[in-house]
Amino acid sequence: MQIANTLDVLRTGVDKLRSGGDTVALVPTMGALHEGHLTLVRRAREVCDHVAASIFVNPTQFGPNEDLDAYPRQMEEDAAMLAREGCALLWAPDVQVMYPDGFATSISVAGVSKGLCGASRPGHFDGVATVVCKLFNQVRPTHAFFGEKDYQQLAVIRTMARDLDLSFPHVHSIIGVPTVREEDGLAMSSRNRYLSAEHRNAAATLPREMQEAIARIEDGQDVTPTLGALEDALLGAGFSSVDYASLVDAASLAPLSALEQRPARLLVAARIGTTRLIDNMAVEAASQATCMLTRRP
Ligand code: PAF
């Protein structure tokens, strides 16, 4: 696997991969890799001729009181994992390469980036959209792979790619990969390593209670009290606060107060100890749920 730290080396490496019209996947990451990231690389290898990954802990997507300095960094270990998975190229710029002196541009995606995590982390998605647009322009992949765990992030990136007419990758080649979970259901995240043993145990309440709430909503119970009960259950299990627990339209992320006949998603962000966890799950549209009920013996 080639490791590029400068744009010149990256461009030569990418030119080689793309020669002969080969497809190149990009798997953007901030490092501290886990099975979730490796699943993205494996999926990318199934779809494309070559896979490039990037590791860059992007300062512009962290708020002033967030964990930028504490964010785990383990470049050698990560590079070895990517090489083992068959990555052809690792793009690992430093902050000066990504944001040279005088850097003055920011991309802000209206609508889809404003509620949910956008409300509790102001500026976060501007940082994500800007760095991902730069990564696309730098690596010029034909496809890009992102985890569905960051569901809102995926929606922001797709909107940015569509609105800016990015041809590499264009919106249809931005591929979302289902969340990879620990045995007890907790969504894998680089931030899970911040959890104490006690908080790690309690953290599994999040996916469990989300499934419980989804079952109730699909069963026809009212959305608002069900989400209230979900929040109470999380607080009762040791979470210190719930930033949001929202039922949204799966495409527009507009809040829903009742299940409608189109795909919906339950999105939650909650804090436990010093760690903020996010998760999301599909909620079956009303018509699908009814259909299943009528099919049951
Ligand atoms: O999901 C992440 O790891 C980051 O937000 C991303 C997409 C690599 C941008 O920094």
Side-chain angles (χ1 to χ4, degrees):
M1 181 182 71
Q2 185 185 12
I3 302 183
N5 303 114
T6 66
L7 282 166
D8 283 346
V9 174
L10 174 71
R11 280 180 189 133
T12 318
V14 168
D15 285 347
K16 256 191 234 150
L17 295 182
R18 293 200 61 166
S19 64
D22 281 7
T23 51
V24 176
L26 174 64
V27 178
T29 82
M30 297 206 301
L33 303 183
H34 50 67
E35 201 52 31
H37 298 108
L38 302 184
T39 302
L40 297 181
V41 174
R42 287 173 204 140
R43 182 82 190 101
R45 283 198 66 197
E46 284 166 10
V47 175
C48 292
D49 298 314
H50 310 285
V51 179
S54 63
I55 296 182
F56 178 66
V57 182
N58 175 35
T60 65
Q61 69 187 75
F62 287 78
N65 300 316
E66 293 185 354
D67 55 344
L68 173 61
D69 292 336
Y71 200 83
R73 288 158 172 91
Q74 45 173 57
M75 186 58 82
E76 270 180 32
E77 212 176 314
D78 288 345
M81 284 194 242
L82 292 170
R84 273 200 299 276
E85 292 298 330
C87 249
L89 179 65
L90 169 58
W91 171 225
D94 67 19
V95 175
Q96 263 304 309
V97 169
M98 190 60 91
Y99 300 117
D101 293 342
F103 185 87
T105 302
S106 176
I107 296 174
S108 185
V109 178
V112 85
S113 77
K114 295 308 172 202
L116 305 164
C117 284
S120 34
R121 302 184 70 189
H124 168 68
F125 287 120
D126 294 358
V128 170
T130 306
V131 81
V132 171
C133 185
K134 281 177 69 75
L135 289 167
F136 285 174
N137 284 325
Q138 292 163 342
V139 179
R140 292 173 291 131
T142 54
H143 297 70
F145 292 76
F146 296 88
E148 280 185 351
K149 166 160 179 294
D150 296 293
Y151 195 81
Q152 189 179 12
Q153 165 173 284
L154 184 56
V156 169
I157 291 167
R158 285 195 167 126
T159 307
M160 180 271 292
R162 183 201 64 195
D163 291 355
L164 298 184
D165 303 315
L166 294 190
S167 50
F168 35 80
H170 64 80
V171 69
H172 299 297
S173 58
I174 294 174
I175 295 167
V177 177
T179 304
V180 180
R181 297 179 180 279
E182 305 283 357
E183 259 177 35
D184 61 3
L186 182 66
M188 287 197 186
S189 162
S190 304
R191 289 187 167 103
N192 289 353
R193 64 185 75 189
Y194 298 156
L195 296 167
S196 66
E198 187 194 344
H199 287 151
R200 171 62 190 82
N201 258 338
T205 317
L206 176 59
R208 263 204 311 274
E209 290 298 333
M210 286 176 69
Q211 272 166 344
E212 181 69 39
I214 289 171
R216 285 188 196 157
I217 291 170
E218 288 179 347
D219 210 34
Q221 295 193 25
D222 285 343
V223 170
T224 309
T226 304
L227 296 181
L230 165 61
E231 291 194 22
D232 290 346
L234 293 177
L235 296 173
F239 281 78
S240 53
S241 61
V242 179
D243 283 357
Y244 59 80
S246 303
L247 183 73
V248 300
D249 179 287
S252 68
L253 305 196
L256 297 174
S257 53
L259 201 52
E260 295 170 9
Q261 294 190 358
R262 53 202 161 121
R265 202 101 192 162
L266 175 63
L267 271 67
V268 180
R271 294 171 197 268
I272 185 158
T274 53
T275 309
R276 184 176 182 276
L277 299 177
I278 57 172
D279 202 347
N280 70 87
M281 293 177 188
V283 183
E284 233 168 65
S287 59
Q288 288 168 282
T290 316
C291 206
M292 285 195 52
L293 280 176
T294 52
R295 258 193 267 122
R296 273 181 202 136

